Amino acid sequence: MSSGKGKAKVPVAGRRNVLVTSALPYVNNVPHLGNIIGCVLSADVFARYCRLRGHNVLYVCGTDEYGTATENKALEEGCSPLEICDKYHAIHKEVYEWFNISFDHFGRTSTPQQTEICQSIFSKLLDNNWLSENTMQQLYCESCQRFLADRFVVGSCPVEGCGNDTARGDQCDRCGRLLNSTELIDPRCKVCEGIPIVRDTDHLFLELPLLKEQLEKYIDEASATGSWSQNAVRITDAWLKEGLRPRCITRDLKWGVPVPHEKYKDKVFYVWFDAPIGYISITACYTPEWEKWWKNPENVELYQFMGKDNVPFHTVMFPSALLGTGENWTLMKNISVTEYLNYESGKFSKTKGIGVFGNDAKATNIPADVWRYYLLSNRPEASDAVFTWGGLQIKHNNELLKNLGNFIYRVLSFIAKPEGAGYGSIIPEAPNADIHPLSQSLAETVGNLIQQYIDAMDKVKLKQGLKIAMAISSEGNAYLQESQFWKLYKQDPASCTTVMKTSVGVVYLLACLLEPFMPSFSKDVLQQLNLSPNEHISFADEKGESDKAKRPWDLIPSNHRIGEIVPLFTELKDDAVASFRETFAGSQAERNARAN
């Protein structure tokens, strides 16, 4: 989480400066696993990887706190919007700390910095004539005596064949279509269930059609040089082909950034206008030198992570607003987008409380790294994926326990055996490694896999990077079996020392390669190796250290004493999985009712 200590990071001349953001999680509930893999966890893996490569990285995130969903939740819980934000900001922070998310700063959008920067961008758009005024028809609830902003309205989706009768006034969760509340069929007020009427109200619009030429030039360049994920390209292209329309940026609400305009002083900015600006304001809360990150496109690369429903706001609306100011903003270079992670036979839903939530994961006592591994190996990169308890069990028992954990324990526990059965916890010498064919073959394979790992991670192909790292563990297991080291110990001691010193080097490599994915695992392995957790492989030279990896027997010196050896994973049993499936069935409300 936020370091809170030491001097704030700023871009450094001559180094690669990487600014990482993940979609700001909304504060209307605890984050569920779909939220976590879709933004903060994926961004964390990339930020950790970049640090291992020796890049200068700043990873910022925070809670998105303005808008109708917050007002809605405040009404439900009978408190003020600020109280809701304080409550859920603390919950989010705690969940991400448990998941080992390595933010440099985790902030929030309800700050003076957010107001100042948001209003400044608005004023420049106004001065540059990119805004227009228009009268629009909006639903008004006579009972509540208020205009109903998007999420205060529910009704049937107008898209043919969708059939969702609980679509919101801004978006249908079933088909993904963005909506205006007046498009809904049979709309009703979410607060009082009354039937609203249509009234005229004046609003301000961002003239996207006028900014189209600048926007398309940026998109063409960034999507080509930045290797945008295919779903991000597809969604953005669909928006452009449909034709850009002026987008309303104000709302008839009280909870939000006030509009600094005399005629509209009783309105606030639409949350999707101000939320992406939150990345900037959260950085401003981290350091007063925030412009060195956000107005420095020549020296800073911006990587953004999110779920597919957030794409158009980051590839169309946010860059349009920044381009319209005429200032030299750091625009997004790379966007990594996930599809949906579904839950068992249905869908995760933060609004309906369905699925496994961050606090649920913690309550299972399954280690955070196991959750990280399952989510990342199941990351919905090209198509929707499904979380199942059975799938979690299989991944844990077959891949973590029987592959990775088994390899590391076999190597280290053998070295730890007393003289006569092992090496008394001392790394043996391996003078014949250079002429040992089996070890040479393994080293060549591992070196090639590490280069593939670096190539995948540089392109933000996280799932592929993890798969390659785990393939190295499989190669290690095969090497142990083929060498039959337990026989060599008596029959060919020189070969046995070569096999064990080579294997312990591969253990070290796995601790380094898997650190972005499973940081606690990596720390535990390094402790068992009796190495400082700060002594990671750097991947910092031009060849990404893959040459060094081709001599794994040289990675840990002879006569080094390893630490205490314990198994890294324990079996996840059938009865535990059955219990979790039953405990976390239904909605949060239904679970609470069962518990009571």
Side-chain angles (χ1 to χ4, degrees):
M1 297 294 289
S2 171
S3 58
K5 296 177 184 177
K7 192 175 178 183
K9 296 178 187 176
V10 292
V12 178
R15 285 180 69 187
R16 188 174 169 198
N17 301 293
V18 182
L19 177 57
V20 179
T21 73
S22 48
L24 305 182
Y26 210 83
V27 291
N28 63 332
N29 203 335
V30 185
H32 58 59
L33 298 183
N35 304 137
I36 290 166
I37 186 58
C39 53
V40 297
L41 178 54
S42 295
D44 180 59
V45 172
F46 186 70
R48 286 178 179 275
Y49 167 73
C50 286
R51 294 184 194 117
L52 286 182
R53 290 295 305 271
H55 306 328
N56 183 39
V57 181
L58 180 66
Y59 176 21
V60 295
C61 188
T63 41
D64 178 7
E65 302 194 348
Y66 287 137
T68 53
T70 306
E71 283 200 19
N72 238 329
K73 194 70 174 177
L75 279 169
E76 285 176 22
E77 297 197 12
C79 60
S80 71
L82 181 58
E83 287 171 326
I84 282 290
C85 293
D86 289 344
K87 171 184 172 180
Y88 283 102
H89 175 79
I91 290 171
H92 276 255
K93 197 167 185 290
E94 185 181 338
V95 166
Y96 303 140
E97 283 174 347
W98 185 79
F99 270 94
N100 275 319
I101 308 297
S102 62
F103 302 119
D104 288 293
H105 187 70
F106 184 75
R108 53 200 303 186
T109 56
S110 57
T111 63
Q113 290 90 336
Q114 173 75 357
T115 299
E116 181 184 343
I117 294 170
C118 196
Q119 290 182 342
S120 170
I121 288 171
F122 165 79
S123 296
K124 288 183 173 64
L125 291 170
L126 190 64
D127 291 344
N128 294 341
N129 297 314
W130 299 119
L131 301 178
S132 62
E133 297 181 74
N134 211 334
T135 300
M136 60 186 289
Q137 291 190 319
Q138 194 169 333
L139 296 176
Y140 182 87
C141 179
E142 293 179 301
S143 176
C144 297
Q145 294 191 318
R146 63 187 293 175
F147 281 103
L148 300 179
D150 39 42
R151 291 195 182 209
F152 280 97
V153 190
V154 289
S156 297
C157 178
V159 175
E160 190 174 348
C162 174
N164 183 13
D165 61 359
T166 57
R168 302 192 309 261
D170 61 343
Q171 188 171 4
C172 174
D173 283 337
R174 182 174 295 174
C175 69
R177 169 80 174 269
L178 297 177
L179 301 169
N180 289 315
S181 58
T182 50
E183 295 179 275
L184 291 173
I185 299 166
D186 299 326
R188 56 194 184 277
C189 172
K190 190 166 182 183
V191 178
C192 70
E193 290 291 318
I195 298 172
I197 61 172
V198 176
R199 276 194 184 178
D200 288 346
T201 177
D202 291 340
H203 281 283
L204 287 163
F205 290 74
L206 177 61
E207 283 290 340
L208 292 177
L210 300 181
L211 287 157
K212 186 182 179 190
E213 189 176 330
Q214 287 186 61
L215 177 67
E216 287 186 332
K217 182 173 181 286
Y218 155 71
I219 289 171
D220 288 344
E221 290 175 2
S223 60
T225 60
S227 303
W228 287 15
S229 59
Q230 282 305 304
N231 46 7
V233 173
R234 187 177 65 249
I235 292 166
T236 304
D237 283 349
W239 258 60
L240 294 175
K241 283 175 184 171
E242 193 176 301
L244 295 178
R245 292 173 291 178
R247 187 78 183 179
C248 185
I249 62 166
T250 52
R251 287 291 185 269
D252 290 295
L253 288 170
K254 299 297 180 190
W255 182 243
V257 175
V259 180
H261 188 292
E262 185 59 31
K263 182 177 176 182
Y264 299 97
K265 62 184 179 183
D266 292 331
K267 299 180 192 289
V268 299
F269 287 115
Y270 174 38
V271 69
W272 271 116
F273 175 76
D274 92 86
I277 295 170
Y279 303 126
I280 304 169
S281 74
I282 288 166
T283 310
C285 292
Y286 167 73
T287 172
E289 297 183 282
W290 62 270
E291 291 189 355
K292 290 184 176 179
W293 287 104
W294 283 99
K295 292 186 178 180
N296 189 4
E298 296 80 18
N299 298 304
V300 175
E301 298 170 52
L302 173 58
Y303 284 73
Q304 300 199 290
F305 292 78
M306 67 202 64
K308 65 181 176 183
D309 50 341
N310 289 345
V311 169
F313 303 107
H314 289 80
T315 61
V316 176
M317 286 186 64
F318 185 38
S320 292
L322 297 182
L323 288 166
T325 65
E327 296 181 312
N328 193 32
W329 289 98
T330 302
L331 297 175
M332 177 176 63
K333 174 187 176 181
N334 190 295
I335 179 171
S336 181
V337 176
T338 56
E339 302 289 314
Y340 291 133
L341 179 69
N342 295 319
Y343 179 60
E344 293 279 346
S345 58
K347 285 190 174 183
F348 278 96
S349 173
K350 203 158 72 160
T351 309
K352 296 175 182 176
I354 293 171
V356 181
F357 290 75
N359 52 349
D360 298 333
K362 185 178 179 181
T364 63
N365 290 321
I366 296 171
D369 272 6
V370 174
W371 288 102
R372 286 176 65 110
Y373 178 80
Y374 177 66
L375 290 171
L376 289 159
S377 63
N378 202 28
R379 187 174 184 249
E381 291 179 352
S383 59
D384 290 355
V386 182
F387 170 92
T388 65
W389 287 103
L392 173 66
Q393 181 186 27
I394 289 168
K395 287 274 185 187
H396 175 276
N397 291 347
N398 291 353
E399 297 175 18
L400 293 180
L401 177 64
K402 294 178 183 176
N403 175 2
L404 181 65
N406 178 59
F407 171 67
I408 293 170
Y409 187 72
R410 287 180 80 188
V411 173
L412 299 187
S413 62
F414 189 79
I415 293 172
K417 286 179 180 179
E419 289 284 348
Y423 299 98
S425 296
I426 303 296
I427 303 294
E429 294 184 3
N432 301 319
D434 285 323
I435 55 170
H436 189 258
L438 192 60
S439 300
Q440 286 289 335
S441 176
L442 175 73
E444 188 69 28
T445 300
V446 168
N448 290 336
L449 285 170
I450 286 180
Q451 193 54 56
Q452 291 173 35
Y453 169 91
I454 292 167
D455 291 344
M457 296 297 284
D458 281 348
K459 293 172 183 171
V460 203
K461 294 181 177 179
L462 309 182
K463 194 173 176 179
Q464 186 179 339
L466 178 55
K467 189 175 181 181
I468 293 166
M470 292 297 287
I472 292 174
S473 177
S474 299
E475 292 291 340
N477 273 313
Y479 170 71
L480 290 181
Q481 284 303 106
E482 191 172 349
S483 71
Q484 296 192 312
F485 66 94
W486 57 93
K487 292 182 181 178
L488 294 178
Y489 186 75
K490 297 289 186 186
Q491 298 170 4
D492 186 353
S495 288
C496 191
T497 58
T498 294
V499 169
M500 297 320 294
K501 197 163 190 288
T502 300
S503 296
V504 83
V506 175
V507 168
Y508 173 66
L509 283 173
L510 285 168
C512 300
L513 295 168
L514 289 168
E515 193 278 342
F517 302 94
M518 296 188 289
S520 294
F521 155 85
S522 178
K523 185 178 178 183
D524 289 346
V525 173
L526 290 169
Q527 284 178 342
Q528 292 190 31
L529 288 170
N530 196 23
L531 297 171
S532 164
N534 296 324
E535 290 185 33
H536 291 306
I537 198 166
S538 69
F539 294 123
D541 68 9
E542 287 181 7
K543 294 181 180 177
E545 299 284 4
S546 56
D547 278 3
K548 186 190 289 187
K550 288 182 178 178
R551 297 180 61 83
W553 48 83
D554 287 341
L555 289 173
I556 298 182
S558 302
N559 301 313
H560 172 78
R561 177 178 288 277
I562 63 173
E564 182 184 353
I565 308 307
V566 294
L568 293 157
F569 303 100
T570 54
E571 186 182 4
L572 187 52
K573 296 186 180 293
D574 291 344
D575 55 351
V577 171
S579 173
F580 296 144
R581 187 181 288 112
E582 183 179 341
T583 300
F584 300 111
S587 68
Q588 288 168 311
E590 289 166 343
R591 293 178 212 165
N592 291 335
R594 286 199 301 269
N596 293 330

